[in-house]
Amino acid sequence: MKTIQVTIDGQKHQAPMGGTILEAIRAAGIYVPTLCHDPELKPFGACRLCIVQVEGLRGLPTACTTPVQDNMVIRTETDEIQEVRRTIVELAIANHPYDCLVCDKSRDCELLSVARYLGARKSAVDRFRRTTLSRPVDASNPAFSIDPDKCILCGKCVRTCSELQGVGAIDFAFRGYQTRISTFGAGPIVDSTCQSCGECVARCPTGALMTRAVLQPQKEVQTICPYCGVGCGIYLGVRGQKIVRVRGDNQSPVNRGALCVKGRFGLDFVNHRDRLTRPLIRKKDFPRSAAQGDTLNAFREAGWDEALEVVAGQLAALRDGYGPDSIGVLSSAKCTNEDNYLVQKFARAVIGTNNVDHCARLCHASTVTAALAAFGDGAMSNSIADIDQADLLFVIGSNTTECHPVIGRKIKQALSRNGTGLIVADPRAIELSTRAAVYINHKPGTDVALLNSIMNGIVQMGLHKLSFINDRCEDVKPFLESLKLYTPERVSKITGVSAEKIQQAAILFGRAKSAMVLYGMGITQHTTGTDNVKAIANLLMLTGNIGREGTGFSPLRGQNNVQGACDLGALPNVFPGYQRVNDPAVLAKFKSAWGGELSGETGLTLTDMFRAAHEGRIKALFIVGENPMMSEPDLQHAKAALAKLDFLVVQDIFPTETARMADVVLPAASFAEKDGTFTSTERRVQLVRKAVEPPGEARLDWEIIDALSEKLGRPFSYKSSSDIMDEIASVTPIYGGISHKRLGETGGLQWPCRTRDDPGTPILHLDSFTRGRGKFHVVHDKPPAEQPSGDYPLLLTTGRILEHWHTGSMSHRSRVLEALSPESSVEISPADADRLGIFEGDIITLRSKRGELQTRVKETLRVFPGLAFMAFHWGDAPANLLTNPEVDPLAKIPEFKVSYVNATLAVLARAARDNAFLAALAANPARALKSYPLTVEQRAALASGDIAAIEKWLGYPLDDRLLAWLKARLEQERW
Ligand code: SF4
């Protein structure tokens, strides 16, 4: 970095060239007060506290907005400067409530500390007219409140929301003395586009924006967010054994302090009253086969010794009676790497089977299969930081801002700061599609055709990188030949997207100097999932966009440690580090490392295990931290499969839908109660640290497996998770240089990290691919397994929403997340709603060939006519009752993204649209009946059930359905 020389307060200093005076002052280690400045935001100059004197310049310029120049002579503190600063802060205080003693912010209020620093005078403050406006506090958001009387209009919140988050939910409103921060439309914050990330709250210098949690932490523990695969660094604020506050880790290379609503406000599940605290054993009079295990009354509490004896005894009996392959083990992407290593070792070395898998089978199994085949590594090739270097981002099948919000934020920043180009392909409009240069809303299940057609366009225009292809890839000829079929005109008919749009995408992608493809489960959860990912790999190799900065293959992994669970061998075909179980040399290595016999036969995948259980071939399942009774497709089938088992053990932190079907439930520790490591989507292995004790008798996952192994005659005898990591490093070359000690010193290492002095690998495939040459695959368009019919005409696609996570076992137990998003809904287009005669707010029945559920209607233009979208987080409306269990033939991932359903009105809210009372009744019956201003006559009509009077008042004829609905609603609320 080039520097210049400046004189500050009589001393010569070097300052970065091109910066501001404030940056020069701070680089010199000198304090000047600021209230509106934030190094991550553009200079604003609103508070004017950073005024300085500069020789040759008139007046007192603000240091934050004035560029520093060579040989500048700057004074930061003179009597005149201090007097002006003091007056500014006294004016701010004059309009500020005097409740510092009871204000939760007072411990770290910047206004208070600046006032103290400048020596604000009470007499001076009293001199200014006190005109505090006493405006109401906006407490509509369950996570934080807004007190306009404490706002000093520094604008940090407004700029944070637009510049950093790319949301722009708030702005300055009104003029002069009436100026305040407001949502557009001046309504409550919860009704705005606010995403409740809390970034504005974290930056507010006063108590104007405050979290609703009032307890101050006694200590902070650095760890990693347990929700998505981004791997954000967090500090858990702990008081006693409770998590009372969460803040982002500013030093984390992943998130630099940023968090989404789940990470910042959704971790109170750790202290939820539903936590399992003692082992549970099913009572004899509640047999699982009768599917009566849906309440905890079916269980009795037991001690650890008894519970482990039962589990060990049953597993040993089944193994000895039917063979080890009659048992299946599901590991967990929520658990640490050390836990996963031990679970798969338990399956292989103690039970003797390779029937071990985890939820990657349901999200990114196709990524692992395809990327191993194309590149030789089944993971993201570059780093999240490469988004800043890319010319073009192609987001396909990923609702990034909701499912991986901190990456979504980074994408939005790249667009606004760097002018990065964006292509979005998603059947359902997402936040990013409104910012894309090209938005493609293709039909679900047509990704191969779309990608092939984009590549066809690239080749036709001669934009492919022949030198890269020739030097580094193989099997190019048949691949290029195969593209000829995919003319934009033909593919337009398959995808429903205009040929022009396909061509535009081809031009943008082909011309980009560096392009990244970021994708999610919109790509992977298809019967063609492996082909879809191979097509992405083809596109990147065709254009030379892999193996260098600003490019890359970027599968966005779902769960916090799904990458680690794959890396550590919780898969039926590979040992840790993707070492194949059927490779004799690998098998011999693990036999020697672990001692004893191991199977060289590939085991069953998760989806195959459920089929086998249904057919009686799998007799027992040991499920650690997974909830297949919500995450499996065709839940009726999954439930029947579990009911047929001879023995089911669930190890979890909550009594999930799956745990309630178990014979034995083992209470485990949550992420906040354990030491270990998670591996994020960018292959970054990071330390997880214990902040609180597990509740009751709950134990660490690895300790439970260790104790169980001992009962089965194979004691492991690890002393800590750090010991386990040392063993992982000794048998897993890509983790060979990783230890807890190094992770503590480095802030995380990206694998492959082979030796103790290897700094890790931010970019894979730099000079050659892991497999040698990158392999092009010929992939052709195939229709989804299910097709529309007269009975089931509506295409249902499933996914996630911002506020909830996976099967909801954690997020539904977070006060804030549950309050923000309390019930399920299905998105349908206004055209479909009209055709079906249903309205926003109606409750409809969705039926597929496999099951049915009821949920509320959300009319939206985000989905095109014929398409419905539903998230799969809700136990009372599990979308997976409807989804198709057909799987990709190679990766065995189910086709969650394409099922066909029909929709019929279940509970009427049709009249509610135009009738305020009915609308209120539909939204919240208790509140409507308590607070709606009904006349005496109207109340009497309702109480007596006088239909004619009710009809007259409502202005609607009460057909049978409306009448039944109204009666049920009123009875339910004990009218
Ligand atoms: Fe946690 Fe993911 Fe949100 Fe980061 S983006 S805070 S890892 S849920």
Side-chain angles (χ1 to χ4, degrees), residues 225 227-228 230-232 259-260 262-263 405-406:
C225 175
Y227 280 109
C228 84
V230 177
C232 293
L259 295 175
C260 74
K262 291 189 287 292
V406 168

Side-chain angles (χ1 to χ4, degrees), residues 84 227 299 444 718 880 898 956:
V84 176
Y227 280 109
F299 297 90
Y718 299 104
N880 283 325
V898 183
Y956 283 92

Side-chain angles (χ1 to χ4, degrees), residues 894-918:
E895 190 149 60
F896 290 108
K897 293 296 186 232
V898 183
S899 309
Y900 281 88
V901 298
N902 63 41
T904 50
L905 187 64
V907 178
L908 182 134
R910 178 190 301 193
R913 193 161 84 149
D914 301 322
N915 184 288
F917 170 67
L918 286 180

